Amino acid sequence: MMQIVLLSTYELGHQPFGLASPAAWLRAAGAGVTCVDLAVQSLPRDAIAAADMVAFYVPMHTATRLAAAAIANVRAYNPQAHLCCFGLYAPMNADFLQSLGVQTILGGEFEQGLVDLYHTLATERPERPEKRGVAYTSSEASVSSVAHISLERQQFRMPDRRDLPPLTEYAAVQLPNGERRVAGYTEATRGCKHLCRHCPIVPIYGGQFRVVQRDVVLADIRQQVAAGAEHITFGDPDFFNGPGHAIPIVEALHAEFPHLTYDVTIKVEHLRQQARHLPTLQRTGCLFITSAVEAMDETILEKFDKRHTRADFARAVALLRANDLALNPTFVTFTPWTTREIYLDFLRTIHDLDLIENVTPIQYAIRLLIPRGSKLLELPDVQELVGPYDEAALCYRWTHPDPRMDQLYTEVLAAVQERQSGDESRRWLWEQVWELAATTSDERLTMPRLSARYRAPIPHMSEPWYC
């Protein structure tokens, strides 16, 4: 039996769907599969040494950089293994990954591609090379090393989570009363029908999204509840890309597990357009909604092609509060267009909308990442701004026209990192960030008076949001 090791390096503190789903497909095809999550496990030397293929799941920037570091160890343990990278960031970084020795790159809907690769390798190598007394090298493989992106619709299988670490090893939901809930993770859709310029999904899916069949989603949640899940994170890039698919899922979920809670990600634009569905989310157990607001400044929103305005965001905040749904907003706070005044206005708006307790500390220090294939590169001013592609960093480097803004970013990031190891409140951090921003010039601005009214922290994941 051909042996395959599926490796994940980081998936925002969740048990990786990106291993469990292909594991089910590959096992059904006859492969022996070992799943390893390097976020909570060590690299298993014996399993790597026995593998015919090692496949890295790279759904995000951080995961890809960690995978690049692990590839050298895998090659040292088993130079004969066929190396594959699959997931959102694999095709965008194909040249770099192939320079490390990766032979197959799969993006988009990758499960069938992994099965096809398995069948090809099994045909070419019916037994391990060392059993034939022949050293196998990557040059002997007829499998194409060209990156392959598939957007074919798939009939999914229920993810196979049997050898993944228990859910208690992953991020939990922290409630305002101090209670922690064991959290599971699933996906009801992939891709996105929108074309936000800064988004890494766009170069791969190009405005399309694909659904995971309802019975598969519910079966996956069912097995996680049996494993102890008290809360489910839906990892869809936008839960309301297809509300006709999403709403029946949460209705069925609540009917079967009335005490189970969940969270979703929804665009500001969709929060307004699909406001009629918000009461259903609240009634069926939604604790909070993550929304990629990105900026308050209209010029930056236009650069990103977010399709919402500052006023739209304020309206979305009001809609969620009216429906007793907590908002977890995310931002790209440092961009080439962010001035000191824009950053201070961002902080002031967070205060004026009474969102200080809603903002995760790291959101004050998110710097724009421009990966290969980004639609931002279509903008003339971005083309003039960026330097050569930095393969080690997996992005195009840029420097702010005002050196004080790069210095402010460094100082805010340091304050956020210090906050994560301390007990200070989010209000305290907001004050610290305001002081840093207000002292970046000779002009001294008065800090807005914080409301004496106490707003409890919102439910949130114990793992910070990173990209």
Side-chain angles (χ1 to χ4, degrees):
M1 178 186 292
M2 184 172 168
Q3 297 299 314
I4 298 174
V5 175
L6 299 177
L7 286 174
S8 174
T9 56
Y10 180 63
E11 196 172 359
L12 294 172
H14 303 301
Q15 190 188 69
F17 180 93
L19 296 193
S21 180
W25 288 60
L26 288 164
R27 285 169 178 150
V33 179
T34 301
C35 292
V36 180
D37 185 0
L38 296 180
V40 295
Q41 295 175 297
S42 300
L43 190 67
R45 184 166 187 164
D46 290 346
I48 296 297
D52 298 285
M53 178 172 81
V54 179
F56 289 84
Y57 178 49
V58 288
M60 54 191 298
H61 180 261
T62 299
T64 310
R65 296 190 68 180
L66 293 172
I71 285 170
N73 289 331
V74 169
R75 294 188 71 192
Y77 295 162
N78 185 348
Q80 286 80 36
H82 185 94
L83 299 186
C84 170
C85 281
F86 65 99
L88 194 65
Y89 265 74
M92 289 192 293
N93 297 288
D95 291 344
F96 171 66
L97 294 171
Q98 287 166 351
S99 75
L100 301 179
V102 177
Q103 294 142 276
T104 300
I105 306 290
L106 300 173
E109 304 300 280
F110 49 73
E111 284 86 353
Q112 185 60 56
L114 285 168
V115 171
D116 292 343
L117 175 60
Y118 157 69
H119 284 309
T120 300
L121 292 175
T123 299
E124 293 181 348
R125 299 196 289 168
E127 56 181 347
R128 286 183 61 77
E130 61 268 24
K131 293 181 180 179
R132 305 195 303 269
V134 178
Y136 173 82
T137 63
S138 61
S139 63
E140 295 168 352
S142 64
V143 177
S144 172
S145 63
V146 177
H148 178 66
I149 299 173
S150 172
L151 298 184
E152 292 294 321
R153 289 177 171 82
Q154 301 184 137
Q155 180 62 48
F156 284 84
R157 294 177 175 273
M158 184 179 80
D160 189 341
R161 300 175 179 272
R162 74 181 77 170
D163 60 342
L164 286 170
L167 295 176
T168 51
E169 294 289 319
Y170 293 92
V173 172
Q174 182 71 53
L175 300 182
N177 63 6
E179 177 189 351
R180 288 171 66 90
R181 292 184 182 173
V182 176
Y185 174 93
T186 196
E187 296 176 3
T189 60
R190 285 182 181 155
C192 186
K193 66 182 183 182
H194 296 276
L195 298 172
C196 303
R197 287 195 182 99
H198 65 301
C199 179
I201 297 171
V202 175
I204 305 302
Y205 281 89
Q208 300 182 64
F209 75 103
R210 296 289 179 261
V211 304
V212 181
Q213 289 74 29
R214 187 189 312 174
D215 60 333
V216 174
V217 178
L218 293 172
D220 187 30
I221 294 172
R222 198 173 291 120
Q223 70 173 336
Q224 292 183 75
V225 171
E230 303 164 298
H231 177 94
I232 295 293
T233 291
F234 285 94
D236 309 37
D238 193 316
F239 200 60
F240 277 175
N241 267 323
H245 175 61
I247 293 300
I249 287 176
V250 296
E251 291 275 22
L253 175 66
H254 184 64
E256 186 170 355
F257 304 109
H259 301 296
L260 190 71
T261 56
Y262 65 91
D263 68 272
V264 297
T265 297
I266 303 175
K267 279 173 61 72
V268 170
E269 178 182 358
H270 284 166
L271 290 175
R272 294 199 61 199
Q273 292 176 350
Q274 306 294 338
R276 66 188 183 280
H277 293 305
L278 297 180
T280 300
L281 295 185
Q282 194 280 332
R283 176 177 55 80
T284 55
C286 184
L287 278 186
F288 60 91
I289 294 174
T290 298
S291 191
V293 182
E294 312 302 39
M296 307 294 187
D297 181 75
E298 304 289 3
T299 299
I300 297 175
L301 289 171
E302 184 177 348
K303 296 277 189 187
F304 287 173
D305 198 16
K306 283 300 295 179
R307 304 298 178 94
H308 73 253
T309 65
R310 179 193 191 102
D312 291 333
F313 171 56
R315 176 59 180 156
V317 171
L319 284 169
L320 293 186
R321 286 197 174 134
N323 286 280
D324 197 23
L325 288 164
L327 172 65
N328 174 40
T330 66
F331 302 96
V332 181
T333 38
F334 285 90
T335 76
W337 312 285
T338 305
T339 64
R340 169 180 171 273
E341 290 71 27
I342 287 175
Y343 192 78
L344 283 166
D345 178 67
F346 157 72
L347 294 175
R348 188 181 292 107
T349 305
I350 294 297
H351 164 269
D352 291 347
L353 292 177
D354 203 5
L355 289 173
I356 290 176
E357 291 295 344
N358 296 67
V359 179
T360 304
I362 190 60
Q363 296 304 320
Y364 293 113
I366 296 293
R367 183 179 171 88
L368 177 64
L369 187 72
I370 306 179
R372 179 163 279 163
S374 171
K375 285 180 68 64
L376 281 171
L377 296 168
E378 298 173 358
L379 300 178
D381 57 340
V382 173
Q383 295 173 15
E384 295 174 3
L385 178 77
V386 299
Y389 185 75
D390 186 337
E391 286 196 332
L394 301 181
C395 65
Y396 289 92
R397 297 285 194 178
W398 60 269
T399 301
H400 199 285
D402 182 351
R404 294 176 301 174
M405 291 306 297
D406 284 337
Q407 178 63 30
L408 178 61
Y409 164 73
T410 301
E411 293 172 352
V412 172
L413 181 60
V416 168
Q417 291 172 333
E418 182 179 354
R419 156 66 178 81
Q420 289 175 351
S421 61
D423 297 324
E424 295 86 358
S425 69
R426 291 184 176 187
R427 288 165 65 93
W428 179 89
L429 179 66
W430 181 92
E431 291 179 342
Q432 295 299 110
V433 173
W434 175 275
E435 289 289 349
L436 289 170
T439 55
T440 54
S441 76
D442 295 334
E443 181 186 1
R444 183 71 178 175
L445 296 181
T446 303
M447 180 186 300
R449 183 185 299 275
L450 293 178
S451 170
R453 180 168 59 87
Y454 174 73
R455 183 179 290 278
I458 71 165
H460 61 276
M461 301 300 298
S462 58
E463 181 82 5
W465 178 283
Y466 289 100
C467 62

